[in-house]
Amino acid sequence: MAKKVVVNRYRCAYCGACVAVCKFNANELVETFLVIDEEKCNGCGICVKVCPMNALEVVS
Amino acid sequence: MRYDVVVIGAGPGGSVAAKTCAEKGLSVLLVEKRQEIGAPVRCAEGIGKKDLERFVEPKKKFIAAEVVGAKIYAPDGTEITLTEEMAGNEVGYVLERKVFDRYLAKLAANAGADVMVKTSAVGMEKKDGGVKVKLRRMGEEFEVECSIVIGADGVESRVGKWAGIDTTLKLDEIESCVQYLMTGIDFDPEYCHFWFGNKIAPGGYVWLFPKGNSSANVGVGVMPSLAKKPPKDFLDEFVERNYGKGRIVEVVAGAVPVKGEIETAVADNVMLVGDAARHADPITGGGIANAMKAGYYAGVTAAEAIEKGDCSAKTLRKYDERWKNDFGKDLAKKRKIQQKLVKMDDETLNKIMHTLAECRLEEISVRAILKALIKKHPKLLWDLKDFII
Ligand SMILES: Cc1cc2nc3c(=O)[nH]c(=O)nc-3n(C[C@H](O)[C@H](O)[C@H](O)COP(=O)(O)OP(=O)(O)OC[C@H]3O[C@@H](n4cnc5c(N)ncnc54)[C@H](O)[C@@H]3O)c2cc1C
Ligand code: SF4
Ligand code: SF4
C-alpha cells in the first residue's frame, strides 16, 4: 500500500516546519492551514519528525 | 500590473526590503499570505538593542520588556550571567511582534510600497528578462510582472526553490520549537533565561523571555535529528516542573533554520533574505536582526541593479557580498560551534559551564573566555580553536 502523510488539523499550529524540510514540495502552508498534495507525498516521514505539535502521521 | 520589485513575505526581512526599495525610488509591491501581518507569532521576540536601533527607533508600543543580560543554566543548575553585549543578537529588548511586524509593514507602505495581504505567491516564471509572479488572493489567481523578486518568505520559503536555489533543510539543520506565553509566574525580569541539557532540550535549549507583569515567553527548541519526542512534550515537562502554577495564554509553534551560511542567496532576478536565506543564528536561533540587515542590503542592491538595467545573478551577487561580509562568516563559525555543542553530553556541558562560572564575565571579552575554555578543556574544543581565536 502506498504511504502518505496526514495532518491532524486540531493539533497543527501552522508553523511551516514541515514545509521547510519536504524535498518533494508536497506540502504548503496556505495562509494559516496546511495542505498536503497526495500526488507528490511519498510518505517518507521526514516532516513527521520536525513537527513541534506532533500533528503529522504517516498512514498506508 | 508591473513593478520594479515584488517582495514576497511581510516579516521583518520583507518589510525592511520593501521600505528600502521604496526609499530608493523603486516601485515595489509587498505581498503577505496571511490576513494579519505578524500573526500568529512564530518567535520568542528577543533582539539586541543596537540591532533594533540600527533600523527603527524603539517605540513603547512594540517593546514589551527590556532586559540587562542573560542567565544561562547548566544541566546541573550552575548559573552564569552574561551582559547584554555578550549575550548575542537575541538579548536586550523583548518585542511585541504582532505590533512590531505591522509597524514595519506600515513604514514600508508610508515610504511608498504597495501592500497586499491575504495574498500568496504560488509560483513564478521568467519573462522578457524579468519575472512573472503568480499570486493567489481569496481563491483567485493573477499575475504581476517585475524585474526583481525578493524572497522573504520565511522558514517555509518556496521562492528559492522556484529560482533553483535548494533551501530544503535537513533534520539537523532546523530547530523545532514550541512556546507558551505564560502569566502569573515568578522569574527575574531583568534577564532572559536559557537552560541547556540533553534531557530537557536535545540539540537546543529552553528559554524564558520576560514580557512584563509576571508574564513571559517560555519555550523550547530541539533538533529533530536528536530529539526522541516532539518539542511540545519537552516543554510540558519543563513547565510542569518549574512553572506549574502559571497560566498559558498563548501557544506558539515554529521552526528556525540553523543551517549556517548558505553558498548563495541569489539567482537571476532573485534575492532571498532572512529565514528564507537561512540567515538565523545557528546557536541562538535569533533571526530578526539578520533578516532586517539582509532586507536592507537586498533593497540597496535592487536599486543599483535597476539603475544599471541589469538584474542578472552576476549583478545581484553584490547582495551576497554585502550580507556575507556583515554576518555570513559569523553564521558559518556559529554553525561549526553548534555542531560541536549538540554532541556534548551533560557532563561535558557542566564542566564547561563550571569554567565559565569562574571567569568574571563582565570584565573580559568573549574571546578571552573562549581562550580560557580551550586552555582548560583542550581536547574538547581543540578543533574549534581556529574559529574562535
Ligand atoms: C519559536 C521561535 C522563537 C524565536 N525567537 C527569536 C528571538 O527571540 N529572536 C530573534 O531574533 N529571532 C527569533 N526567532 C527567529 C525569527 O522569528 C525569524 O528569524 C524571523 O521572523 C525571520 O524574519 P523573516 O522576515 O525572514 O521571516 P518571517 O518573519 O517568518 O516572515 C515571513 C513571512 O512570509 C510570509 N510568506 C511565506 N510564504 C509566502 C508566500 N508564498 N506568499 C506570501 N507570503 C508568504 C509568511 O506568512 C510570513 O509572514 C524565533 C523563531 C521561532 C520559531
Ligand atoms: S511525508 Fe515526506 S514527501 Fe510527504 S509531505 Fe512529509 S516530507 Fe514531504
Ligand atoms: S510542522 Fe506540524 S504544526 Fe507545523 S505546520 Fe506542519 S503539521 Fe502544522
Side-chain angles (χ1 to χ4, degrees), chain A residues 5 21-24 26-27 36 40-47 58:
Chain A
V5 80
V21 299
C22 179
K23 271 192 278 208
F24 308 98
N27 46 14
I36 295 156
K40 289 189 188 163
C41 174
N42 63 9
C44 73
I46 300 280
C47 57
V58 177

Side-chain angles (χ1 to χ4, degrees), chain B residues 222-357:
Chain B
V222 303
M223 190 173 270
S225 59
L226 299 171
K228 301 261 180 319
K229 53 188 178 189
K232 187 176 174 301
D233 294 1
F234 285 100
L235 183 59
D236 286 337
E237 283 164 24
F238 182 85
V239 163
E240 176 66 35
R241 243 190 344 266
N242 299 285
Y243 301 107
K245 292 212 175 71
R247 297 283 178 267
I248 297 166
V249 292
E250 190 175 292
V251 179
V252 164
V256 190
V258 291
K259 186 188 171 85
E261 183 190 34
I262 60 170
E263 208 179 294
T264 179
V266 160
D268 285 331
N269 309 86
V270 174
M271 290 180 272
L272 303 179
V273 311
D275 279 9
R278 307 339 193 182
H279 280 161
D281 183 309
I283 294 182
T284 65
I288 308 170
N290 287 351
M292 292 200 291
K293 289 181 198 169
Y296 173 74
Y297 293 137
V300 170
T301 311
E304 287 168 2
I306 287 184
E307 163 89 33
K308 202 172 151 194
D310 173 7
C311 301
S312 65
K314 201 166 157 258
T315 307
L316 299 182
R317 289 262 181 266
K318 186 80 194 157
Y319 164 65
D320 268 343
E321 232 173 77
R322 287 181 162 126
W323 71 261
K324 283 180 181 233
N325 278 337
D326 187 322
F327 59 82
K329 286 184 196 79
D330 188 56
L331 293 182
K333 187 170 91 182
K334 298 262 184 67
R335 171 71 176 165
K336 291 273 182 201
I337 299 176
Q338 175 230 32
Q339 281 175 314
K340 191 88 188 167
L341 269 178
V342 300
K343 289 201 193 97
M344 288 179 185
D345 56 21
D346 283 1
E347 205 186 315
T348 313
L349 286 172
N350 286 333
K351 267 196 224 158
I352 292 184
M353 298 283 264
H354 293 167
T355 310
L356 284 175

Side-chain angles (χ1 to χ4, degrees), chain B residues 16 28 44 67 69 92 134 171 189 196 211 213 232 251 272 284 349:
Chain B
V16 171
V28 50
V67 296
K134 285 190 197 128
L171 291 176
F196 285 86
K211 286 202 79 179
N213 300 328
K232 187 176 174 301
V251 179
L272 303 179
T284 65
L349 286 172

